[in-house]
Amino acid sequence: MEHGPPALRHPATPWSISLAHTSGLGVLALSPFQVGIDVERIRELDVEQLDAPVLTPAERRAVRAMPEGPSRATAFLRCWTRKEAVLKAVGIGITTDLTALETRSWAPGPAHITLSALGSPTTWRVADVLAPAGWTAALALPRGAERPPSVRRL
């Protein structure tokens, strides 16, 4: 079985695709560059049980600074979707140490994440994507991708 991001084989195309879905919502990203997208439904989570294997120390401090409940769960899921978007863009999925990816989700705007999981480092621009109320989503493109993505709701 091959690994890597999904690809259109026939007809051949230079476009990259990424897919994600969660309860009640699916997203699709098309790009002339490698791309990764992820979406999560905001829900009740026991963040303190989940954060150690997922978050960096700085992310953990930022998430735990949020009030318990939906705000804290949303902050955790913002980190998660940003990490998973990068891993999908690279095509490795969740097979690397998630604490090695710093999402800077507490800062406004996009973040640059460097990933060394495949030997040579690659840097990705990851940003939140507009999602309906109740979901959070993130998109990853290679750093230096020439134009920002356009998002369309269908």
Side-chain angles (χ1 to χ4, degrees), residues 57-66 75 105-106:
E59 290 169 333
R60 192 174 308 116
R61 283 189 301 276
V63 167
R64 288 190 177 193
M66 301 300 293
S105 63
W106 60 86

Side-chain angles (χ1 to χ4, degrees), residues 9-34:
R9 294 185 184 251
H10 187 69
T13 178
W15 287 81
S16 295
I17 65 172
S18 184
L19 303 161
H21 62 88
T22 188
S23 178
L25 185 65
V27 292
L28 166 69
L30 299 169
S31 172
F33 311 101
Q34 282 180 276

Side-chain angles (χ1 to χ4, degrees), residues 25 40 58 60 84 101 109 112 116 141 146 151-152:
L25 185 65
E40 289 290 335
R60 192 174 308 116
E84 193 163 350
L101 302 175
H112 290 99
S116 298
L141 292 168
E146 295 160 8
V151 176
R152 295 188 185 126

Side-chain angles (χ1 to χ4, degrees), residues 23-143:
S23 178
L25 185 65
V27 292
L28 166 69
L30 299 169
S31 172
F33 311 101
Q34 282 180 276
V35 63
I37 194 160
D38 191 47
V39 63
E40 289 290 335
R41 182 178 59 83
I42 298 170
R43 58 198 180 277
E44 188 175 317
L45 295 171
D46 187 349
V47 172
E48 287 72 21
Q49 291 287 83
L50 298 171
D51 67 2
V54 175
L55 303 179
T56 66
E59 290 169 333
R60 192 174 308 116
R61 283 189 301 276
V63 167
R64 288 190 177 193
M66 301 300 293
E68 285 188 40
S71 295
R72 190 174 291 181
T74 299
F76 175 84
L77 290 168
R78 282 188 69 222
C79 292
W80 178 270
T81 57
R82 285 175 167 223
K83 290 173 190 251
E84 193 163 350
V86 170
L87 296 174
K88 285 180 175 185
V90 174
I92 61 173
I94 304 173
T95 60
T96 191
D97 176 11
L98 295 176
T99 64
L101 302 175
E102 176 72 71
T103 66
R104 300 191 47 78
S105 63
W106 60 86
H112 290 99
I113 297 176
T114 300
L115 177 66
S116 298
L118 298 177
S120 59
T122 57
T123 302
W124 298 87
R125 181 182 181 269
V126 64
D128 299 328
V129 174
L130 183 61
W135 287 273
T136 187
L139 180 79
L141 292 168
R143 183 178 189 172

